[in-house]
């Protein structure tokens, strides 16, 4: 699992409008719309409904400690989408207490192992790995104009890759998976068969798998896994992995069809999943024709 560093997040807050424009140019959709698609929210929620959700972001000093700018960046991504978000003045337990005392709908916090949004009112946990897997799969679905019936290769079967697999199945894709540890592929395939009665293909050779796929999820968290020779000009990649698992030349070759960010898609999807958890009836009203 990758721990972000302050350089990963330092420019995100000031660059959100540009990020959104680029995302729109690649997918035809904004960050809010990609996150809605990931959270299975079919209609863009009213701004007033989004702003009714209060999110407290709590800095956590445990383990390797605070990442400079992390909490403020999470807050700014949520605020960019219209949420009422704030960073608590206190850290750790005191910060959680402060969030509760301010009647938050969700508390967001990350230590070295998990990054979660907790909904105190209905005891729901939204995990960043789940949201990131669904967010990037949703982005790929929108970028290619629908994955239904299309083959998609997942590279890296860790928590984000596993959740991307579930999302891709939901979007109707035919999923193949590769991991340097082939046992992880087998375990994922078995789990998906048990839980969804869906068969996915497990790949032993990355080079062979890449030659057969133009739609990819890169979730390895390892640098330089994919080089430019493995990619055609028509390859589309959603890459939640940090660092990006592509050589500089590979990145340049597919830049126009590459979705990659350290925090934006995952946090935005956590926010929309949080809205769904906390305002289900209001969201339901919005999609009824005369509601
Ligand atoms: O980056 C991380 C972990 N690798 C989370 C993994 C989730 N997939 N955590 C961020 C730690 C933030 C820090 N405790 C802070 O600034 O609050």
């Amino acid at each position: 699992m990758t721990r972000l560093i302050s350089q990963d997040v330092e420019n995100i807050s000031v660059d959100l409008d540009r990020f959104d424009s680029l995302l729109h140019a690649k997918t035809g959709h904004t960050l809010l719309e990609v996150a809605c698609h990931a959270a299975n929210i079919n209609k863009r929620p009213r701004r007033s409904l989004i702003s009714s959700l209060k999110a407290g972001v709590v800095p956590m000093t445990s383990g390797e400690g605070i990442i400079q700018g992390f909490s403020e960046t999470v807050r700014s991504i949520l605020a960019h989408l219209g949420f009422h978000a704030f960073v608590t003045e206190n850290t750790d337990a005191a910060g959680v207490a402060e969030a509760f005392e301010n009647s938050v709908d969700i508390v967001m916090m990350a230590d070295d192992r998990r990054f979660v949004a907790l909904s105190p009112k209905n005891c729901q946990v939204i995990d960043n790995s789940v949201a990131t897997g669904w967010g990037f799969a949703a982005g790929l679905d929108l970028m290619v104009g629908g994955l239904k019936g299309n083959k998609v290769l997942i590279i890296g079967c860790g928590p984000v890759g596993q959740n991307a697999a579930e999302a891709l199945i939901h979007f109707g894709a035919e999923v193949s998976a590769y991991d340097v540890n082939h046992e992880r592929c087998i375990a994922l395939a078995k789990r998906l068969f048990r839980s969804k009665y869906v068969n996915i293909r497990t790949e032993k050779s990355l080079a062979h798998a890449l030659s057969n796929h133009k739609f990819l999820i890169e979730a390895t968290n390892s640098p330089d896994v994919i080089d430019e020779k493995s990619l055609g000009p028509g390859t589309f990649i959603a890459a939640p992995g940090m660092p990006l698992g592509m050589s500089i030349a590979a990145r340049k070759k597919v830049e126009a069809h590459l979705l990659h960010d350290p925090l934006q898609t995952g946090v935005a999807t956590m926010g929309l999943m949080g809205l769904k958890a906390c305002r289900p009836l209001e969201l339901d009203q919005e999609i009824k024709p005369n509601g």
Side-chain angles (χ1 to χ4, degrees):
M1 179 185 305
T2 306
R3 183 180 147 90
L4 295 175
I5 55 172
S6 55
Q7 286 93 315
D8 291 329
V9 300
E10 68 185 351
N11 291 319
I12 292 177
S13 302
V14 293
D15 231 14
L16 281 166
D17 287 334
R18 202 174 68 92
F19 174 86
D20 230 335
S21 305
L22 277 173
L23 185 65
H24 193 274
K26 290 176 184 182
T27 66
H29 294 271
T30 63
L31 183 59
L32 178 63
E33 289 163 353
V34 171
C36 283
H37 191 45
N40 206 9
I41 296 172
N42 299 324
K43 186 173 171 246
R44 194 186 163 116
R46 273 178 295 116
R47 189 87 178 172
S48 58
L49 181 58
I50 298 175
S51 66
S52 76
L53 197 94
K54 199 168 180 185
V57 186
V58 181
M60 302 289 280
T61 65
S62 74
E64 291 188 49
I66 301 283
I67 297 170
Q68 195 61 40
F70 178 84
S71 295
E72 173 51 27
T73 304
V74 172
R75 186 209 64 76
S76 71
I77 295 166
L78 295 171
H80 174 77
L81 301 180
F83 291 102
H84 176 169
F86 67 101
V87 178
T88 57
E89 282 174 17
N90 295 285
T91 64
D92 308 299
V96 176
E98 182 189 330
F100 272 58
E101 284 154 7
N102 278 284
S103 307
V104 291
D105 295 290
I106 52 174
V107 182
M108 283 203 184
M109 54 193 169
D111 63 15
D112 297 341
R113 290 177 53 206
R114 288 185 81 177
F115 175 15
V116 289
L118 307 178
S119 160
K121 283 165 200 152
N122 55 14
C123 277
Q124 206 155 321
V125 179
I126 298 156
D127 194 292
N128 177 259
S129 298
V130 177
T132 302
W134 278 80
F136 276 85
L140 186 64
D141 189 55
L142 294 171
M143 180 162 63
V144 307
L147 287 169
K148 197 173 169 52
N150 283 303
K151 294 195 316 176
V152 182
L153 173 66
I154 297 174
I155 308 163
C157 298
V160 173
Q162 291 168 28
N163 284 291
E166 295 211 7
L168 293 171
I169 290 166
H170 169 82
F171 294 128
E174 280 179 32
V175 178
S176 300
Y178 169 84
D179 193 287
V180 271
N181 176 354
H182 192 63
E183 291 303 312
R184 292 219 296 185
C185 275
I186 305 278
L188 174 60
K190 282 187 180 160
R191 202 164 45 250
L192 290 170
F193 186 72
R194 273 200 303 269
S195 61
K196 302 190 176 304
Y197 301 105
V198 170
N199 276 308
I200 67 161
R201 198 184 155 86
T202 58
E203 305 279 356
K204 280 194 169 147
S205 155
L206 178 58
H208 181 259
L210 283 170
S211 69
N212 279 317
H213 290 85
K214 59 177 186 168
F215 300 149
L216 311 178
I217 298 274
E218 191 284 297
T220 63
N221 295 330
S222 309
D224 292 331
V225 174
I226 303 172
D227 64 27
E228 83 279 14
K229 289 187 228 71
S230 322
L231 302 175
T235 308
F236 289 75
I237 308 183
M242 278 298 288
L244 177 63
M246 299 169 68
S247 66
I248 291 169
R251 183 183 183 140
K252 273 200 185 131
K253 188 166 182 179
V254 294
E255 189 75 59
H257 300 159
L258 170 66
L259 303 181
H260 173 66
D261 67 71
L263 215 47
Q264 295 90 318
T265 300
V267 169
T269 304
M270 289 170 91
L272 271 296
M273 287 177 166
L275 187 68
K276 200 170 179 182
C278 299
R279 302 280 186 274
L281 299 177
E282 293 85 342
L283 276 172
D284 207 34
Q285 284 299 318
E286 293 206 345
I287 55 175
K288 286 199 179 120
N290 298 310

